[in-house]
Amino acid sequence: MDKLIIRGGRRLAGEVPISGAKNAALPELCAALLSAEPLVLHNVPRLQDVGTTLKLLRNMGATADWLGERDTPAGNQVRIDGGAVTNPEAPYELVKTMRASILVLGPLLARFGKAKVSLPGGCAIGSRPVDQHIKGLQAMGAQIEVEHGYIVANAPQGLKGARISTDMVTVTGTENLLMAATLAHGETVLENAAQEPEIPDLAELLIAMGARIEGHGSSRIRIEGVDRLHAPRTPHRIVADRIEAGTFLCAVAATGGEVVLRGARADHLDAVIDKLREAGVTIEAGDGFIRVSANGRPKAVGFRTSEYPAFPTDMQAQLMAVNCIAEGSAVINETIFENRFMHVNEMVRLGAKIEVEGKTAVVTGVERLSGASVMATDLRASASLVIAGMVAEGETLIDRIYHLDRGYDRMEAKLRALGADIERVS
C-alpha cells in the first residue's frame, strides 16, 4: 500500500495545472448511458474514482477507454460508447468504494426502463442516504424496491415528468434526477435543486446531446423530456476542479510562497477566496488563472460549511490545516456531514490544538507542527494532512493515501514541481 513521506518547511513557488473536476467527471461519464451514440469527454482527471466508473460502464457492456497515454495530448480524453449496453446492473464489487456509482441509476432507468444498483459506499464521513433519489424517481413513475443490498427499479412504460421537491439539497440527487428527466415523457421540474458548478456543467453536456433544460445553476431546474439523446457535435470539456484549486490555495496559505493555478475558476471559489483573504493571503484572479501569495503566519479564520455558494464542506479540512498554524483561534461549524472531523485526531498527532464538540471545532493556532506518522481517514482529510505535513518540522508519513488518489490527480507530483519535499513510497 502506497504512503507519502513529507519533509516540511519549504515554501511553494511556480505554476500548477488544475485538473478537471472529479465531481463533474463522474456524472458526465454516467450520462453516456443515456445515448446509444459515443460520447467523448475532454479534461477528464486521472483518478481512482474515474477508473472505477470506467470499469462499471464496461461491466454493463459499454466501451469506455482513454484515448491516449497519460501526459500525452489525448491523455485526458475518454470515449464512452453506450450503444452495446446489455447489463443495466451496478454490482456491489464495483460500487462499494464509491458513492457516486448511484449516478448510473437515473440514466439506466430512463433509457432501459430497468436498473439494479447496489447501495453505494465511499468515504465514511457520515450518512449520505439515497432516499431522495428513490423518492424522485418514484414520483416519475418508477417502481422501486430495496432488497438484499440492491436498489431494484423498473419503469416498463418509461418515466413520466413530475414536479419533484427534495427534502434536502442533494448534489448527486439533483444530478440523477436531471439525467433521468431528459428522457422522461413530459415536463419535470426539480425544486430545491443543488447549485454547485458541476451541475450546470452536466446540464450543458446534456443540452449538447439534445436535452431541453432551463434553470440549471439555480434552485429550480425545468426539463422537457425528449425521445432520444445523441452524441455532442463537439467533445465536451469538463470544468476545472474547484476543490483541487482550493486545496492548492490553502497549501500556499500554510507554507508561504507564490503560485499560479492554471485553468482554475475563481468565480467557483468565492467563499474560499474570501476566507483566505481574511487570513491575510493575497489572491489575484484572471481569465483561466488564480495567483496566490503568502508571507508569514496567516490569521485564524472561522467559518461555517453549507451548500453552494456558501463555504464547501469539501474544503473544511484543508482550511482547518491552515488554522492549525495561524495566529489566534477559529471556530469551525460543520453542517453537512456528521463525521467530518475524523482528521482531527491525526492533526493532533502533528501537534495541532483542536477541541471538538459535536459539529463544532475550535482550533488554536500554534507556531509550528512536528512531523509524525498519521493515517488518512477520507478523501479531503488526506489533503489536509498533506498540507499539515508540508509545514511540520521533520518528517511526516501519511498512510492509506488511496483516499487521496480518489480525488486528486498525482497531488505529490504537482507539489514536488512547486518545491515541496514529498515522495510516494510503497
Side-chain angles (χ1 to χ4, degrees):
M1 187 178 295
D2 286 359
K3 304 177 183 182
L4 287 180
I5 297 176
I6 305 173
R7 300 167 188 90
R10 294 197 178 189
R11 292 164 63 87
L12 300 180
E15 296 189 357
V16 61
I18 299 302
S19 302
K22 167 179 112 75
N23 290 339
L26 301 183
E28 289 172 22
L29 289 169
C30 295
L33 295 169
L34 290 165
S35 174
E37 298 182 20
L39 171 67
V40 176
L41 296 174
H42 286 193
N43 202 32
V44 182
R46 292 267 187 167
L47 305 174
Q48 184 174 313
D49 278 7
V50 169
T52 300
T53 303
L54 295 179
K55 290 179 183 177
L56 179 58
L57 296 173
R58 293 186 196 112
N59 189 71
M60 296 177 187
T63 58
D65 299 294
W66 296 98
L67 295 184
E69 297 298 319
R70 186 192 283 271
D71 298 325
T72 67
N76 290 100
Q77 300 175 22
V78 171
R79 182 181 184 275
I80 314 104
D81 189 344
V85 171
T86 56
N87 179 33
E89 179 176 340
Y92 173 72
E93 289 72 22
L94 290 173
V95 170
K96 62 183 178 181
T97 62
M98 186 179 68
R99 181 180 183 271
S101 303
I102 192 67
L103 289 167
V104 301
L105 177 61
L108 289 175
L109 193 55
R111 181 172 161 212
F112 299 100
K114 60 181 179 179
K116 183 179 179 181
V117 179
S118 172
L119 291 169
C123 288
I125 57 175
S127 176
R128 296 191 282 185
V130 297
D131 60 318
Q132 300 303 303
H133 304 240
I134 294 173
K135 173 186 172 183
L137 292 170
Q138 287 175 328
M140 299 170 73
Q143 302 167 2
I144 299 180
E145 300 289 340
V146 178
E147 52 188 36
H148 307 298
Y150 279 81
I151 300 169
V152 181
N154 289 281
Q157 304 303 315
L159 296 174
K160 299 177 182 178
R163 181 184 175 276
I164 303 169
S165 180
T166 54
D167 298 335
M168 65 186 73
V169 177
T170 162
V171 175
T172 53
T174 298
E175 292 166 340
N176 229 342
L177 298 174
L178 172 61
M179 288 189 284
T182 60
L183 295 179
H185 303 297
E187 179 183 276
T188 299
V189 177
L190 302 181
E191 304 279 6
N192 200 28
Q195 302 175 54
E196 276 73 0
E198 295 80 19
I199 291 172
D201 199 60
L202 170 62
E204 291 299 326
L205 167 62
L206 295 171
I207 290 169
M209 295 171 68
R212 297 174 182 171
I213 303 171
E214 297 176 354
H216 43 293
S218 75
S219 61
R220 187 177 189 271
I221 305 176
R222 177 182 170 275
I223 310 103
E224 184 69 34
V226 297
D227 291 336
R228 58 182 293 272
L229 296 180
H230 55 74
R233 290 185 175 85
T234 57
H236 177 77
R237 182 177 178 82
I238 291 171
V239 70
D241 195 322
R242 61 194 171 96
I243 305 302
E244 182 189 38
T247 299
F248 278 98
L249 292 178
C250 286
V252 177
T255 65
E258 182 172 330
V259 172
V260 175
L261 281 57
R262 292 295 178 192
R265 291 277 301 268
D267 57 325
H268 292 169
L269 283 163
D270 286 341
V272 174
I273 289 174
D274 285 348
K275 284 298 173 183
L276 288 173
R277 283 175 172 158
E278 186 181 331
V281 179
T282 300
I283 298 177
E284 305 169 41
D287 186 15
F289 78 91
I290 301 175
R291 179 180 289 107
V292 53
S293 58
N295 291 292
R297 288 177 67 189
K299 300 181 184 70
V301 289
F303 60 94
R304 176 181 183 272
T305 66
S306 192
E307 292 85 3
Y308 188 87
F311 195 94
T313 182
D314 279 353
M315 283 299 306
Q316 177 254 106
Q318 298 92 310
L319 189 50
M320 180 184 283
V322 177
N323 277 325
C324 285
I325 51 89
E327 294 180 351
S329 298
V331 177
I332 299 172
N333 293 306
E334 172 60 57
T335 72
I336 305 298
F337 295 122
E338 64 269 25
N339 293 336
R340 202 145 209 184
F341 286 142
M342 291 192 298
H343 51 283
V344 167
N345 288 338
E346 304 304 306
M347 292 282 198
V348 170
R349 286 182 54 78
L350 296 171
K353 292 184 178 180
I354 308 170
E355 296 181 3
V356 175
E357 181 75 32
K359 291 189 176 183
T360 300
V362 178
V363 184
T364 302
V366 298
E367 288 192 12
R368 61 183 60 86
L369 300 175
S370 59
S373 294
V374 292
M375 180 177 66
T377 55
D378 61 73
L379 169 53
R380 305 307 172 185
S382 60
S384 73
L385 294 176
V386 170
I387 294 171
M390 288 193 298
V391 296
E393 291 183 342
E395 185 173 283
T396 297
L397 177 68
I398 305 178
D399 200 356
R400 294 176 64 181
I401 62 167
Y402 58 83
H403 288 295
L404 192 75
D405 294 336
R406 289 187 51 229
Y408 292 94
D409 190 351
R410 292 188 299 178
M411 174 183 266
E412 77 281 0
K414 290 183 177 182
L415 288 170
R416 193 162 51 245
L418 297 175
D421 188 347
I422 179 173
E423 63 178 315
R424 180 182 293 250
V425 296
S426 296

